[in-house]
Amino acid sequence: MATVAEILQGRLQDALRASDLASDEPLQTAPTADPRHGDYQTNAAMVLGKKLKQNPRTLAGLILAHLSMSDIGAAEVAGPGFINFRLSPDFISRRLNQLALDERIGVERTDKPRTVVIDFSSPNIAKPMHVGHIRSTVLGDALANITRFLGHNVITDNHIGDWGTQFGKVIYGWKHFLRSENLNSDPVTELVRIYREADAAAQKDFGILEGCRQELVKLQQGEKENRRIWQQCVDLSTEEFAKIYDLLGIRFDYQLGESFYNPELPRVVQELLERGLAEVSDGAVVVWDRALSEDPFIIRKSDGGYGYATTDTATIEYRVKHWGAEAIWYVVGAPQHLHFQQLFSLGHRLGYEVDLQHIAFGSILGEDRRLMRTRSGDSVPLRALLEEAVQRATAIVAEKNPDLSEQERLSVSRMVGIGAVKYSELSQHRMTDYIFSWEKMLSLHGNTAPYLQNAYVRCRSIFRKLPAPVSATTSMTLREEAELDLAKKILQFPEVLPAVLDGFKPNILASYLYDLSAQFHGFYESCPVLSAATEVRETRLMLCDIFSRLLRTGLNLLGIELPEKM
RNA sequence: GCGUCCGUAGCUCAAUUGGAUAGAGCGUCGGCCUCCGGAGCCGAAGGUUGUGGGUUCGAGCCCCGCCGGACGCACCA
């Protein structure tokens, strides 16, 4: 099903051919910012005018003379050479009827499906997940949902940090400081505690530092005891992560940690050396890309160990060879920009024909505009934060709707609390650092999850008051201004959704859903549904039905659930 | 020093990738409940888009120079 913009582009192409102006240039056709300029506009005449060195208004007039619009609406030349389109109520009604019958609300599956691996969340073993992980996790999940919905083959992979030098201290701590009773109640906190104790001890005593190093070497050599301790750390941490993902309602297709690639690393380095891509420098094996930076990409440390540059390279190879990845998207914070530039450069020089993207994002700040920390200066544990979100939502829901059953309140609070946290991330441009505020994200006013959820709930409650179910076969005839405004907004969904992937910006979808809901409230104020005459009522009911389906679809794509009551 | 990202209303943020008179929310001021959930709607005030140039029909967006901030720059991930 073509979008409105595509239909208009088609008519424009016809008109251009008819007036001998056909061109390969893509025709930009978009909704207008100001309703006084109609519903859609194109700058085709101005683009053409520049190319042909002709007056754009004259060209626009010529195009207009050949433009067939009678079944769509009207068109006119305006300003410096815009062509403005106004959609007729009849056309809008017909389009909306089509969308009403379509489960996907008019969104086409791409005709060029790609296999896209999305790498996000990536917490570290033996460390708690903290606020720093929330953006990656929520952004990655939303992008995965949207990309999948658009018809691509998406593989999500949680690239867990389960290998690294910190395990020397963790294992040393395990052997000397572990209190196994703590391991049962709160394992990750205990792992952090023994790490810190070992770290503190190592700073005071060189012998202990050496002991930690020895433990690391033994682990790397595959010594049984250390391997067993490491595996236990991985298991305990993974269980803890699972609880958080469960609360967030997020799943991964794979969770292949860094250690998964260990067996490949020596071969990868060997190949790089043989192909002349890497060289030895100060005892380390490095790859240079002077165009990017004077700093090398370190493939093997001078002590023979491997860093994440190497595992990441091996990971690209694996994803391309085993999964047929055509694109790999890394949802990782902006500070790692250079690392990914170097990684991508190497990946391409290795000959992998894969579209590599670093989807960077800014930091979360506290009210003091500094990196968000707890009072003691640590990063804020994610689980506590999410639980607080649900708790705060519970208080609000209990106050606003005391009639809900205990069970309903539990489930609604989770949707509202978690939804609020997710939406506050996703409604913001991913690159801007943002200030974390409970009051703002849980506010019932403005661009927040609770506001959108409430718009949905209000709409759904109309259906509960209906004396008898209404057949969905009725065709709609829109008349009122508010009906048409809402309908036009709904018709834009198939145009908006693909745009999210242009710059990997879910905030485009969030912003659309907010506008849509505001438009719905306008309709809701001025167009009574239940009390309207039968024919009008059926039209409005169908409008409500499409709106609520669309809002649910859109928010679900962002990873946000909707209650029927709240 | 080099590199990356950023600077928009009092505050928090948008702006369909170069389109017309830069939009929301919060806060401020003023209206709207015999009406489907007022958790709402309508209106007003609030801006030299950090700054100076350039490119063109047209710039918050592209190019160059300053000012201010965040982050990254050899064996941690």
Side-chain angles (χ1 to χ4, degrees):
Chain A
M1 192 188 303
T3 65
V4 174
E6 284 163 356
I7 292 171
L8 292 171
Q9 279 158 17
R11 297 298 171 93
L12 271 171
Q13 292 289 10
D14 293 344
L16 288 173
R17 270 193 294 274
S19 45
D20 237 19
L21 291 168
S23 140
D24 297 334
E25 302 266 330
L27 302 172
Q28 197 185 90
T29 309
T32 56
D34 187 332
R36 280 174 298 184
H37 299 132
D39 299 316
Y40 282 77
Q41 69 175 196
T42 182
N43 57 8
M46 291 185 289
V47 174
L48 229 57
K50 191 173 234 167
K51 198 174 149 195
L52 304 175
K53 305 220 191 299
Q54 289 187 36
N55 182 310
R57 278 192 68 99
T58 313
L59 283 175
L62 195 62
I63 295 167
L64 206 59
H66 291 89
L67 199 61
S68 150
M69 282 287 292
S70 55
D71 56 331
I72 296 178
E76 62 183 13
V77 179
F82 290 105
I83 298 174
N84 292 340
F85 303 101
R86 227 168 274 276
L87 308 178
S88 70
D90 179 56
F91 175 78
I92 296 167
S93 300
R94 288 204 318 269
R95 287 290 304 173
L96 203 63
N97 277 315
Q98 287 174 4
L99 293 202
L101 298 172
D102 180 13
E103 269 192 14
R104 297 172 56 83
I105 321 179
V107 179
E108 288 275 10
R109 281 176 214 277
T110 176
D111 52 3
K112 293 178 197 123
R114 293 201 296 172
T115 296
V116 181
V117 174
I118 307 183
D119 178 325
F120 65 97
S121 198
S122 314
N124 293 316
I125 297 297
K127 290 181 192 165
M129 273 179 91
H130 54 83
V131 277
H133 295 105
I134 185 85
R135 286 196 105 167
S136 170
T137 306
V138 169
L139 251 167
D141 180 57
L143 288 171
N145 296 336
I146 292 165
T147 309
R148 205 169 260 147
F149 189 78
L150 289 171
H152 295 284
N153 174 33
V154 172
I155 298 170
T156 56
D157 184 13
N158 191 5
H159 194 68
I160 293 174
D162 63 359
W163 202 256
T165 48
Q166 79 271 23
F167 280 104
K169 283 168 184 167
V170 173
I171 291 172
Y172 186 93
W174 183 287
K175 289 180 175 173
H176 295 85
F177 310 120
L178 188 70
R179 295 188 197 132
S180 40
E181 66 274 16
N182 292 352
L183 223 42
N184 299 323
S185 55
D186 193 350
V188 173
T189 303
E190 178 63 7
L191 293 181
V192 172
R193 195 189 63 77
I194 60 174
Y195 168 83
R196 284 189 179 161
E197 199 150 335
D199 186 49
Q203 283 192 16
K204 283 187 206 127
D205 184 333
F206 188 77
I208 293 178
L209 181 63
E210 191 49 38
C212 293
R213 283 203 189 118
Q214 285 308 313
E215 299 296 358
L216 181 64
V217 169
K218 275 164 31 183
L219 174 68
Q220 286 167 342
Q221 289 168 345
E223 188 257 357
K224 263 196 168 162
E225 171 70 0
N226 281 13
R227 189 79 193 181
R228 188 189 61 76
I229 294 171
W230 169 81
Q231 186 63 52
Q232 228 173 324
C233 292
V234 170
D235 292 344
L236 290 167
S237 298
T238 309
E239 280 168 35
E240 184 66 23
F241 299 155
K243 287 179 195 161
I244 290 175
Y245 294 134
D246 209 44
L247 190 57
L248 286 168
I250 288 175
R251 289 178 203 293
F252 297 89
D253 297 321
Y254 294 93
Q255 303 205 63
L256 302 182
E258 291 170 336
S259 65
F260 177 80
Y261 302 95
N262 281 347
E264 309 302 324
L265 304 183
R267 180 185 54 78
V268 167
V269 173
Q270 193 55 39
E271 280 182 23
L272 287 169
L273 284 167
E274 280 167 11
R275 292 173 63 173
L277 291 167
E279 61 185 66
V280 177
S281 167
D282 288 351
V285 179
V286 305
V287 175
W288 299 97
D289 183 346
R290 309 271 188 193
L292 283 175
S293 167
E294 288 302 314
D295 298 311
F297 199 50
I298 297 168
I299 290 298
R300 191 175 67 204
K301 298 186 284 179
S302 48
D303 68 359
Y306 303 96
Y308 77 147
T310 326
T311 51
D312 277 0
T313 306
T315 304
I316 294 180
E317 176 189 80
Y318 184 86
R319 288 169 175 169
V320 170
K321 287 191 177 162
H322 291 260
W323 295 340
E326 294 162 275
I328 305 175
W329 300 346
Y330 299 84
V331 188
V332 180
Q336 300 204 37
H337 181 77
L338 178 59
H339 165 74
F340 283 110
Q341 292 298 303
Q342 293 178 316
L343 175 67
F344 297 170
S345 158
L346 179 56
H348 289 134
R349 279 189 283 169
L350 274 166
Y352 297 119
E353 288 180 17
V354 55
D355 172 28
L356 300 168
Q357 298 286 341
H358 175 208
I359 301 177
F361 50 84
S363 327
I364 303 181
L365 309 179
E367 306 269 9
D368 57 357
R369 298 213 65 122
R370 309 182 59 125
L371 275 183
M372 196 172 164
R373 299 278 178 204
T374 60
R375 261 177 305 248
S376 55
D378 297 330
S379 50
V380 179
L382 186 51
R383 194 170 170 195
L385 182 127
L386 294 176
E387 279 166 1
E388 182 170 354
V390 174
Q391 244 171 41
R392 284 173 181 264
T394 308
I396 296 169
V397 170
E399 189 203 322
K400 293 290 181 183
N401 196 344
D403 300 335
L404 290 179
S405 72
E406 184 63 28
Q407 202 187 352
E408 279 174 321
R409 186 156 63 230
L410 223 64
S411 131
V412 169
S413 306
R414 196 184 65 83
M415 293 185 200
V416 172
I418 301 297
V421 172
K422 287 185 175 183
Y423 191 83
S424 68
E425 304 276 348
L426 295 169
S427 59
Q428 202 131 153
H429 187 109
R430 62 181 163 81
M431 283 312 293
T432 48
D433 291 350
Y434 94 97
I435 296 175
F436 189 94
S437 158
W438 288 117
E439 286 71 31
K440 278 182 184 144
M441 73 175 71
L442 281 164
S443 166
L444 307 161
H445 314 276
N447 191 7
T448 66
Y451 171 88
L452 295 179
Q453 285 166 327
N454 177 58
Y456 178 80
V457 165
R458 289 177 98 187
C459 183
R460 297 303 303 163
S461 88
I462 293 175
F463 289 91
R464 282 198 297 275
K465 300 225 160 125
L466 222 49
V470 177
S471 72
T473 53
T474 330
S475 74
M476 279 169 281
T477 310
L478 304 166
R479 293 188 184 84
E480 295 290 325
E481 202 64 36
E483 296 171 342
L484 289 163
D485 286 345
L486 176 57
K488 282 186 276 193
K489 199 76 206 173
I490 291 171
L491 296 185
Q492 287 173 17
F493 182 58
E495 295 161 14
V496 169
L497 198 62
V500 172
L501 295 190
D502 270 355
F504 310 105
K505 288 160 57 180
N507 68 301
I508 290 181
L509 175 57
S511 158
Y512 167 78
L513 295 174
Y514 176 66
D515 290 345
L516 176 76
S517 299
Q519 211 63 258
F520 169 75
H521 275 128
F523 159 80
Y524 185 90
E525 288 287 324
S526 61
C527 298
V529 178
L530 294 175
S531 60
T534 313
E535 200 185 318
V536 175
R537 190 176 69 168
E538 296 201 344
T539 285
R540 290 181 180 171
L541 275 170
M542 285 193 67
L543 203 44
C544 287
D545 182 60
I546 303 176
F547 164 74
S548 59
R549 271 174 50 213
L550 174 47
L551 188 55
R552 190 175 58 219
T553 304
L555 282 174
N556 286 348
L557 286 173
L558 293 177
I560 294 166
E561 296 175 77
L562 291 144
E564 292 294 311
K565 300 177 193 170
M566 64 190 280

